[in-house]
C-alpha cells in the first residue's frame, strides 16, 4: 500500500542568556559539574522563582520572527514527572496559555515554496544531565543545566518528507541566528529536536498513530531517524498490525529507532498553574520596543540581495542562509567588490574551504575588505583565477590581506609580452613532438603546451595571453616549415 507520512517537529531552543530562567545562576556551558546551582534551580523548599526578563523578551522576539500571535495573557504551569535529573520532580513550563501561537515558517520544499504552520511557542526550564561514561556501574547527575531557559517551537503536522523536515530546521536555525538569541550549537544541546511521525494511506485525511522520536541532536539525525521510522511503520502496517503510540529513541550507531516508553498524554503530566508565578501580560509599549529590535530576517535579506545586487534567487538564498556569509558579502561590496564575483568566491572556494576544514563561517574570520581586495586583484590582472585560489587559502590561514600576500610572495602574473614570447618559444622548442602533433591536426596538443608554459612560469603566466600566443605561433608554423 502507498502511504503518506505526516510529520511535526518540536524544537527545543536554548536561549543564550547569561543567567538561568528563574534564578541568577550562570547558564554558561561546560562549567565544572554542579558548580552553577542554587536553592532555586535545585528546587529546595521555600524558594521562589523570578522570571528572567531578557529570556522573556527574547522569547517574544522569536515568536514575532515566526509570525506568531502573542498571547494576551501568559502563565507558567508545573509539568509533573519523575526523572533523576529533575530535582523538583516537576518542570516549570507553559500549558494552556503559552507565550505565542498560530505562526508560520515558509520553506522551499523541492524548489517550491511551502508554508509550515507553527502551533505554539512556549517557554520552559531545562532539566539537568545524566552522566554515564565515568563508570560502568554508577551514573552521576550534573544540575548545571537545570533551569536554563528553553523555548519550545511546535509545528503543526504539515511536513510530508524527511527533506521537508530538514529544510524546515535549516530555515528555523537561520532565523534564530539572525536574531542572535541562541548559539544554536547542537553539539552543546542548544538546539534539540523531537519528531512526531505517522503514516496514513495516500489520500486519506484521518491521522495515523503518532510515534515520537526524542532528543535528536543533528539535522542529519532527524532526516535519518524519520526515514527509518517511515520504513518501519510501513512494514508494520503492511503486516496488518497496529502502530502503538509511543516514544522512541534514535540509535545513531545502529541507525534505527528503539522503543523508549508509551507516549504520555497531557493528563499524565498533571499540569497545574505554577503558584509562585502569577499570570502576566505584555504591555503595548513593551511589544513595540521588542518589535523595533527585530533585525532584517533571512527571507527579507534574500529579497533585497536580488533587487539591489541582481543576484539569482539561488545565490541570494545561499548567501543569506548564514548571517556571517551575508555580512561578508555586503562588506566586500562596500569595499569595492563586484557583487556577482564576491558571491561566487563566497559560495565557491570559501565555502569549499570551510567544508574541508569542518569550520563554521565565523570561525574562518574572513574580513570583507580582504575578499574585496582578492576580487580586485583578479579584475585588474595582477593574479589569475587559479593563483587567487591559492591566495584565498593563504589569506584565511595567515589572516593576512591578499594585497600584502601577493606583494610579499611576488605572485603577480607575467603579462609582459616579451617575457611571454620567450616562454612560448622555450616551451615549443622543448616539446617538438607536441608541436608536430598539433601541425598534424591534434589540436589538444595545445593544451599540453599550455600546461608546460604554466608549469615553467610557476603558474604566473597570464593564461589568456599565453593561450593566444601559443595558438598564434602554432598557426604560423603551419604555413612555414617548423624549425
Amino acid at each position: 500500500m502507498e502511504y503518506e507520512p505526516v510529520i511535526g517537529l518540536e524544537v527545543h531552543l536554548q536561549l543564550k542568556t547569561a543567567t538561568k530562567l528563574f534564578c541568577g545562576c550562570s547558564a554558561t556551558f561546560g562549567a565544572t559539574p554542579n558548580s552553577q546551582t542554587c536553592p532555586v534551580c535545585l528546587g529546595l523548599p521555600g524558594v521562589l522563582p523570578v522570571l528572567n526578563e531578557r529570556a522573556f523578551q527574547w522569547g517574544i522576539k522569536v515568536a514575532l520572527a515566526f509570525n506568531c500571535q502573542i498571547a494576551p495573557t501568559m502563565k507558567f504551569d508545573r509539568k509533573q514527572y519523575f526523572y533523576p535529573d529533575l530535582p523538583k520532580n516537576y518542570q516549570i513550563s507553559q500549558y494552556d496559555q503559552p507565550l505565542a501561537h498560530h505562526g508560520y515558517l515558509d520553506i522551499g520544499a523541492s524548489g517550491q515554496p511551502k508554508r509550515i504552520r507553527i502551533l505554539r511557542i512556549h517557554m520552559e526550564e531545562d532539566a539537568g544531565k545524566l552522566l554515564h561514561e565515568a563508570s560502568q556501574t554508577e551514573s552521576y547527575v550534573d544540575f548545571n543545566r537545570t533551569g536554563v531557559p528553553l523555548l519550545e517551537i511546535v509545528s503543526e503536522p504539515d511536513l510530508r518528507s524527511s527533506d521537508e523536515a530538514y529544510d524546515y530546521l535549516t530555515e528555523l536555525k537561520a532565523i534564530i541566528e539572525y536574531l542572535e538569541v541562541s548559539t544554536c550549537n547542537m553539539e552543546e544541546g542548544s538546539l534539540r529536536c523531537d519528531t512526531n511521525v505517522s503514516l496514513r494511506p495516500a489520500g486519506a485525511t484521518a491521522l495515523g498513530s503518532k510515534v515520537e522520536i526524542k532528543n535528536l541532536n543533528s539535522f542529519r539525525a532527524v532526516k535519518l531517524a524519520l526515514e527509518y521510522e517511515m520504513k518501519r511503520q510501513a512494514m508494520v502496517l503492511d503486516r496488518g498490525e497496529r502502530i502503538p503510540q509511543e516514544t522512541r529513541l534514535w540509535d545513531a550507531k545502529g541507525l534505527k529507532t528503539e522503543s523508549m516508553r508509551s507516549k504520555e498524554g497531557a493528563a499524565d503530566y498533571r499540569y497545574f498553574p505554577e503558584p509562585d508565578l502569577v499570570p502576566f501580560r505584555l504591555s503595548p509599549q513593551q511589544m513595540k520596543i521588542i518589535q523595533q529590535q527585530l533585525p532584517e530576517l533571512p527571507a527579507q535579506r534574500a529579497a533585497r540581495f536580488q533587487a539591489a545586487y541582481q543576484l539569482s534567487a539561488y545565490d541570494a538564498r545561499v548567501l543569506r542562509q548564514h548571517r556571517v556569509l551575508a555580512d561578508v558579502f555586503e562588506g566586500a561590496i562596500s569595499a569595492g567588490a563586484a557583487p556577482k564575483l564576491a558571491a561566487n568566491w563566497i559560495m565557491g572556494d570559501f565555502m569549499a574551504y570551510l567544508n574541508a576544514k569542518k569550520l563554521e563561517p565565523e570561525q574562518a574570520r574572513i574580513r570583507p575588505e580582504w575578499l574585496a581586495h582578492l576580487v580586485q586583484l583578479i579584475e585588474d590582472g595582477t593574479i589569475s583565477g587559479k593563483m587567487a585560489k591559492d591566495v584565498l587559502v593563504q589569506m584565511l590561514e595567515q589572516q593576512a590581506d591578499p594585497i600584502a600576500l601577493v606583494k610579499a610572495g611576488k605572485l603577480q602574473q607575467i603579462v609582459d609580452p616579451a617575457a611571454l614570447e620567450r616562454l612560448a618559444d622555450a616551451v615549443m622548442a622543448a616539446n617538438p613532438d607536441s608541436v608536430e602533433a598539433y601541425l598534424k591536426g591534434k589540436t589538444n596538443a595545445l593544451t599540453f603546451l599550455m600546461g608546460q608554459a604554466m608549469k615553467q612560469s610557476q603558474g604566473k603566466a597570464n593564461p589568456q595571453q599565453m593561450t593566444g600566443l601559443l595558438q598564434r605561433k602554432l598557426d604560423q608554423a603551419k604555413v612555414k616549415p617548423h624549425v
Side-chain angles (χ1 to χ4, degrees):
M1 181 181 290
E2 184 180 353
Y3 298 104
E4 179 187 51
V6 178
I7 301 168
L9 298 181
E10 299 173 7
V11 173
H12 290 84
L13 180 74
Q14 180 180 324
L15 299 173
K16 62 175 184 180
T17 52
T19 56
K20 296 184 180 180
L21 187 55
F22 299 116
C23 66
C25 287
S26 171
T28 304
F29 176 83
T32 304
N34 298 309
S35 63
Q36 298 177 166
T37 61
C38 72
V40 175
C41 55
L42 290 177
L44 299 186
V47 299
L48 290 174
V50 177
L51 179 62
N52 184 322
E53 183 177 2
R54 171 157 293 181
F56 171 70
Q57 291 174 344
W58 283 357
I60 297 294
K61 199 173 176 181
V62 171
L64 291 173
F66 288 110
N67 311 289
C68 287
Q69 298 174 30
I70 306 300
T73 302
M74 310 160 203
K75 74 175 175 68
F76 284 97
D77 303 274
R78 290 189 179 183
K79 182 181 181 183
Q80 320 281 330
Y81 64 99
F82 172 77
Y83 212 66
D85 60 3
L86 191 68
K88 292 181 291 196
N89 283 346
Y90 66 85
Q91 178 188 30
I92 301 180
S93 181
Q94 292 185 297
Y95 177 48
D96 56 345
Q97 291 178 275
L99 211 64
H101 54 87
H102 294 104
Y104 62 84
L105 173 60
D106 291 330
I107 64 171
S110 304
Q112 297 297 318
K114 180 172 181 177
R115 177 158 294 180
I116 308 300
R117 294 170 297 158
I118 291 176
L119 175 64
R120 57 184 278 154
I121 296 179
H122 65 258
M123 182 169 283
E124 63 187 20
E125 59 179 348
D126 206 349
K129 183 180 180 182
L130 293 175
L131 307 172
H132 305 289
E133 296 178 354
S135 168
Q136 292 185 342
T137 57
E138 297 171 302
S139 292
Y140 299 87
V141 188
D142 178 7
F143 289 117
N144 279 353
R145 205 173 66 182
T146 305
V148 164
L150 296 179
L151 282 183
E152 185 168 341
I153 304 169
V154 183
S155 83
E156 294 278 10
D158 291 344
L159 300 158
R160 294 292 176 267
S161 69
S162 60
D163 286 337
E164 287 187 7
Y166 190 92
D167 289 343
Y168 172 86
L169 291 171
T170 303
E171 190 67 26
L172 181 145
K173 182 171 181 277
I175 291 173
I176 298 298
E177 286 179 340
Y178 271 66
L179 295 174
E180 296 186 295
V181 298
S182 173
T183 64
C184 292
N185 188 326
M186 299 190 78
E187 291 183 355
E188 296 179 0
S190 295
L191 186 63
R192 288 168 268 159
C193 184
D194 301 341
T195 72
N196 291 296
V197 56
S198 64
L199 297 185
R200 64 186 175 190
T205 54
L207 295 175
S209 186
K210 183 172 65 177
V211 169
E212 182 185 40
I213 311 171
K214 286 194 75 67
N215 291 333
L216 296 161
N217 61 1
S218 74
F219 293 177
R220 182 171 178 272
V222 171
K223 196 169 186 298
L224 291 175
L226 283 171
E227 288 169 357
Y228 174 86
E229 188 58 24
M230 286 186 284
K231 289 178 183 174
R232 186 191 70 83
Q233 291 188 25
M235 291 174 65
V236 173
L237 293 172
D238 284 344
R239 292 197 298 267
E241 298 175 11
R242 186 179 64 86
I243 301 289
Q245 182 167 309
E246 63 176 344
T247 297
R248 298 177 73 87
L249 290 176
W250 173 240
D251 176 358
K253 291 182 179 177
L255 297 179
K256 60 183 180 180
T257 63
E258 295 178 344
S259 183
M260 178 184 178
R261 60 176 183 240
S262 60
K263 175 71 178 169
E264 294 93 342
D268 297 315
Y269 292 120
R270 306 181 314 283
Y271 282 100
F272 70 82
E274 165 59 59
D276 295 330
L277 291 163
V278 298
F280 55 99
R281 303 172 70 90
L282 186 68
S283 73
Q285 182 61 23
Q286 287 174 307
M287 177 75 89
K288 185 177 179 182
I289 291 172
I290 296 172
Q291 282 177 322
Q292 290 172 342
Q293 294 172 351
L294 282 177
E296 181 184 45
L297 296 174
Q300 298 164 337
R301 200 167 198 185
R304 184 167 60 79
F305 280 2
Q306 286 184 257
Y309 307 123
Q310 284 73 56
L311 295 183
S312 68
Y314 174 80
D315 288 356
R317 182 175 176 79
V318 172
L319 287 172
R320 63 78 170 167
Q321 193 65 33
H322 200 296
R323 184 171 184 165
V324 172
L325 294 182
D327 288 346
V328 169
F329 170 70
E330 289 214 283
I333 292 172
S334 298
K340 181 57 179 168
L341 288 175
N344 287 346
W345 276 94
I346 291 172
M347 295 189 298
D349 289 77
F350 179 55
M351 290 183 70
Y353 176 86
L354 296 178
N355 290 334
K357 299 288 183 179
K358 301 186 185 308
L359 294 174
E360 293 296 321
E362 57 270 24
Q363 293 177 295
R365 294 182 299 158
I366 184 172
R367 291 175 59 172
E369 62 270 27
W370 292 350
L371 180 62
H373 292 165
L374 184 71
V375 171
Q376 288 160 2
L377 288 168
I378 302 167
E379 286 191 301
D380 66 18
T382 303
I383 58 175
S384 67
K386 184 176 184 306
M387 295 164 72
K389 293 175 181 291
D390 296 331
V391 173
L392 175 71
V393 173
Q394 292 182 46
M395 178 180 88
L396 295 170
E397 296 193 344
Q398 299 179 30
Q399 287 291 292
D401 190 320
I403 292 176
L405 289 170
V406 167
K407 189 176 180 181
K410 299 179 180 177
L411 299 174
Q412 291 90 343
Q413 280 193 121
I414 300 172
V415 295
D416 175 50
L420 291 174
E421 185 131 5
R422 287 194 296 275
L423 180 60
D425 289 340
V427 167
M428 290 176 65
N431 298 279
D433 292 345
S434 296
V435 174
E436 194 65 33
Y438 182 86
L439 297 179
K440 289 180 179 177
K442 294 183 178 179
T443 55
N444 60 357
L446 174 61
T447 304
F448 173 79
L449 293 170
M450 182 64 192
Q452 293 301 303
M454 296 306 292
K455 183 178 180 181
Q456 287 197 23
S457 68
Q458 298 180 321
K460 296 179 183 177
N462 181 287
Q464 289 75 30
Q465 285 181 268
M466 197 70 230
T467 302
L469 189 56
L470 283 170
Q471 180 82 63
R472 178 168 57 80
K473 283 182 172 291
L474 288 168
D475 289 343
Q476 287 173 349
K478 286 183 179 177
V479 296
K480 60 182 180 181
H482 180 61
V483 179

